[in-house]
Amino acid sequence: MAKKATKKKASTKRKTKRLSFKLSNQQKLIFGSLLIILGVLLFISFVSFLFNGKEDQSILSEFPSRQVEAKNWASQFGAKLSEWFILKGFGLPSFIFSGLLFLSGVYVTLNLKLSKLRKHWIWGTLIVIWLSIFFGFFTHKYDILGGVIGYEMNHFFQDYIGKIGTALLLAFGLIVYLAIRFNVTGDTLVSLFKRAKEDIASDFETPDNQTEEDKVVPIDNSLSEEAESIKSAFEIPLENLEPTIANHSEITKESKPKVKTEDAPEMEVIIKEPEQEVEMKVEVSKEEKSETDNLADKLVEDFGQFDPTLELSNFQFPTLDLLKKYDNEGISINQEELEENKNRIVETLNNYKIGITSISATIGPTVTLYEIVPEAGIRISKIKNLEDDIALSLSALGIRIIAPIPGKGTIGIEVPNKKSTIVSMHSAIASKKFQTSEMQLPIALGKTISNETMVVDLAKMPHLLMAGATGQGKSVGLNAVLTSLLYKKHPAEVKFVLVDPKKVELTLFNKIERHYLAKLPDSEEAIITDNTKVINTLNSLCIEMDNRYELLKNAFCRNIAEYNKKFKERKLNPNDGHQFLPYIVLVVDEFADLIMTAGKEVETPIARLAQLARAIGIHLIIATQRPSVNVITGIIKANFPARIAFRVTSKIDSRTILDGPGADQLIGRGDMLYTQGNDLIRIQCAFVDTPEVERITEFIGSQKAYPDAYLLPEYVGGDDGTTLDIDIADRDKLFKEAAEIIVTAQQGSASLLQRKLKLGYNRAGRLIDQLEAAGIVGGFEGSKARQVLVPDLLALEQLLENEKNN
């Protein structure tokens, strides 16, 4: 008895197991996709077999072998499958099997009723068999029409019931199929024959047999019930008709017809009293165009828009194969780690009597975001204070709590993955978001926690501040920014001004000097490493900014995009100084070093550019370790709303960079926080290695380039004696008078000349420079007045006389 009971229990368990077997939605998607792919593969193999089947016959005996190459589009596997199904199987009707597989995948993926799918398979298989026998009836050898099965089945039937019997059997099979599948009956066949008979009879009738009455076709004016109801709705009784011309006073403001529906609430429709009509003559006048506009339109018609890329029309953008692909790029889901972290988070919160209604996880390249929804009545601050406790329970490097997540009613806990994945520059550049972006200066920074490529527009930022401790990825981030622009913008559209106090980080970009870099006219190298040249370059950029604003003012444009559009449409005359303006991106690595060595001389032009340069297409990217007040002043920092923070060591440093905490909880190696003045977004920076940058710059540098780098306006420094005027012919008209004033007063200052000669500061400063070049006054000494080198007027006369004689 006991054995019977155990057997019953075992059988019931088996039954329950069979009943409980059910695929999850994820498994259905995977299995359905597999069936769809198999169906497509089968179809491709069959189609290819029709063209290449004979050529593949010789290699099928060697299948499978890597030494032979099949002509089939699905290679050896496709060739073998096609032989089995078409030649040795059912012939051409085998195509139906590929359709059935595809249909099965659709049914499984979309979670449709499988009972219908079962019917499709039964009827589909029967049609395949019938068609195979039908095609085999007309063949005299093994052929692709009916295959081996069709040919052999025909021979089998013909041996017993002959050819006529086989034909009748096929006809019977067709009748059975039509009767069961499409509910065809004898009545439908009779009605079909009657209709055909009437059509034939009407075609053979002669017009002489018809009488006049027969020729008249009666027209039925009666309407259907539905049409009558529609007609009655539009009919108006005669007694309700009013004159067509009515006084406006009859229509009052009180007329408020109400529209009611069963579900929706009542809605009042108010008809306002019409105002008195006033006759008005409308004259359509053609818009007068200026002569320049007409000329521009004509030029555009004749020559098309101006193309700035025409000089380097054969320029090829870097290819994706120059960037490295990594083996561990795909995100691997560690189910055990996720479950373990979830349990520990829930357990830690339960210890402090914090209940959770739901928890979900979003896996990123380096960090997993756990979103929790706390029970009603629990304070968010209570969860925020448990940051260290949760980190302790998870044994994590450092967690970050976002409470609440902006735009969601959840609290986020970011936990670093035990095994992080590399975000390559290849995956960021190859992403659809970057490739299809229509931004002016698109930059692929990396990937977010939700594994989406983060693409931002430098033109909208308008300046970017990058900060973080040493070795956390600032220089790699700069390379990622520059690489993004090289992959997207033509050399005619963007130019880089690179400042590298380290002298080793940006030197690779020297190879693209004549394509993408900008420099001062006298400088030999485009990448600036000397601090004194940095000052001249920044001041030169300020002159470029002022010149561009002058061009925009003359062209009546507000920004560089409008100006360039107008120039492309040939509405601006190059003879007036107008030209196509490329974007200029100033990149400064280790800005703190410049401030320490140059101080205010760097700060002033940077502040000017940060405040004004956005509209004319000059954008700044500044990298520093800690943007404190003595490094980046409040004026500069206010114009850098876009910030990137890599890992720092303290919360104070994080607040200095981001004006809030978070950067101290990052895990390093490219893990960063990005903000554009609102929310913080955690991103894993795209990794671009030195060999990759070298390959890209070599690819670009090997192509045809401009004759020289983009030349910035010349800047003559006021403090450097070597750049001063020494040519007598170029001296100011007031030079002699100014020299006499300086020698008489024995005080070399520009303010003295301003007062005595009633000059502006610029002209007075220029005179001081000329006096220094002539050896009348000494060099610049800061706030002190310059030393006068000529003792009296007599010595001055002698000095000037000697200059004339020489």
Side-chain angles (χ1 to χ4, degrees), residues 305-316:
Q305 286 196 351
F306 171 76
D307 185 9
T309 64
L310 202 59
E311 195 172 345
L312 296 183
S313 56
N314 295 326
F315 177 80
Q316 290 183 347

Side-chain angles (χ1 to χ4, degrees), residues 93-107:
S94 300
F95 273 92
I96 293 170
F97 284 126
S98 63
L100 288 171
L101 269 175
F102 185 87
L103 192 67
S104 303
V106 173
Y107 266 74

Side-chain angles (χ1 to χ4, degrees), residues 363-606:
I363 305 163
T366 53
V367 174
T368 300
L369 174 66
Y370 294 88
E371 291 183 53
I372 60 170
V373 179
E375 289 179 350
I378 291 170
R379 291 184 180 180
I380 294 172
S381 58
K382 197 174 178 183
I383 298 172
K384 265 190 175 181
N385 295 334
L386 296 175
E387 196 168 73
D388 296 333
D389 298 284
I390 294 168
L392 179 67
S393 68
L394 294 170
S395 306
L397 187 63
I399 69 160
R400 179 168 163 261
I401 292 179
I402 314 160
I405 295 173
K408 292 184 179 180
T410 57
I411 294 167
I413 301 171
E414 291 176 351
V415 182
N417 297 337
K418 288 179 182 176
K419 188 182 178 183
S420 59
T421 54
I422 294 173
V423 175
S424 65
M425 198 70 209
H426 182 281
S427 62
I429 296 291
S431 65
K432 188 181 178 183
K433 198 172 183 181
F434 181 79
Q435 292 291 336
T436 58
S437 69
E438 296 181 357
M439 299 175 180
Q440 291 167 336
L441 293 172
I443 296 168
L445 290 176
K447 292 195 176 180
T448 61
I449 287 179
S450 55
N451 208 33
E452 290 179 10
T453 306
M454 187 71 184
V455 181
V456 292
D457 191 0
L458 180 61
K460 297 279 177 69
M461 288 185 186
H463 310 298
L464 178 63
L465 177 63
M466 297 174 76
T470 308
Q472 301 302 323
K474 291 192 300 296
S475 298
V476 174
L478 286 176
N479 283 336
V481 169
L482 293 171
T483 304
S484 300
L485 294 173
L486 290 177
Y487 267 90
K488 202 69 177 173
K489 305 306 286 185
H490 191 274
E493 298 173 319
V494 67
K495 301 292 176 184
F496 301 121
V497 178
L498 303 179
V499 179
D500 184 17
K502 289 182 186 175
K503 303 181 182 180
V504 292
E505 290 294 343
L506 302 173
T507 48
L508 288 173
F509 292 95
N510 259 329
K511 295 172 187 174
I512 59 169
E513 178 182 326
R514 292 190 296 135
H515 291 87
Y516 282 100
L517 300 191
K519 66 173 185 178
L520 290 172
D522 299 332
S523 59
E524 293 178 6
E525 292 186 356
I527 296 171
I528 306 149
T529 54
D530 188 8
N531 288 344
T532 54
K533 288 183 180 178
V534 174
I535 298 161
N536 292 344
T537 305
L538 291 174
N539 284 303
S540 176
L541 278 172
C542 289
I543 296 168
E544 174 77 9
M545 177 181 73
D546 295 334
N547 293 343
R548 287 188 172 201
Y549 268 118
E550 192 67 28
L551 289 174
L552 259 67
K553 185 189 82 172
N554 296 336
F556 302 102
C557 298
R558 294 181 64 187
N559 54 54
I560 189 173
E562 289 178 14
Y563 178 87
N564 283 338
K565 186 183 176 187
K566 216 169 186 179
F567 188 81
K568 284 180 181 178
E569 291 171 353
R570 303 183 187 273
K571 293 180 180 178
L572 299 174
N573 193 348
N575 294 328
D576 298 336
H578 292 293
Q579 59 181 340
F580 181 82
L581 300 178
Y583 287 94
I584 296 175
V585 180
L586 170 64
V587 179
V588 182
D589 197 4
E590 296 300 343
F591 183 70
D593 183 63
L594 291 180
I595 292 293
M596 287 170 70
T597 52
K600 291 237 171 192
E601 291 171 285
V602 169
E603 186 185 323
T604 306
I606 285 281

Side-chain angles (χ1 to χ4, degrees), residues 11 103 171 180 237 251 269 321-322 350 377 433 440 536 555 613 648 670-671 734 757 792:
S11 61
L103 192 67
I180 299 171
I251 304 170
V269 179
D321 57 3
L322 298 171
N350 282 336
K433 198 172 183 181
Q440 291 167 336
N536 292 344
V648 292
D671 190 19
L734 298 174
L757 297 174
D792 51 25

Side-chain angles (χ1 to χ4, degrees), residues 636-688:
I636 298 174
K637 202 172 176 182
N639 289 286
F640 282 82
R643 317 259 177 89
I644 286 176
F646 292 91
R647 187 171 181 247
V648 292
T649 51
S650 67
K651 284 187 179 179
I652 298 164
D653 289 352
S654 178
R655 286 196 181 93
T656 309
I657 301 164
L658 299 170
D659 301 324
D664 55 312
Q665 294 157 332
L666 300 174
I667 59 173
R669 296 188 67 189
D671 190 19
M672 67 184 192
L673 289 170
Y674 168 77
T675 179
Q676 205 167 343
N678 37 31
D679 302 333
L680 287 174
I681 303 168
R682 193 164 184 175
I683 303 167
Q684 179 61 39
C685 183
F687 180 67
V688 54

Side-chain angles (χ1 to χ4, degrees), residues 65-78:
S65 174
R66 296 177 70 177
Q67 274 68 40
V68 292
E69 186 179 349
K71 296 287 184 182
N72 195 288
W73 298 336
S75 194
Q76 293 183 30
F77 182 70

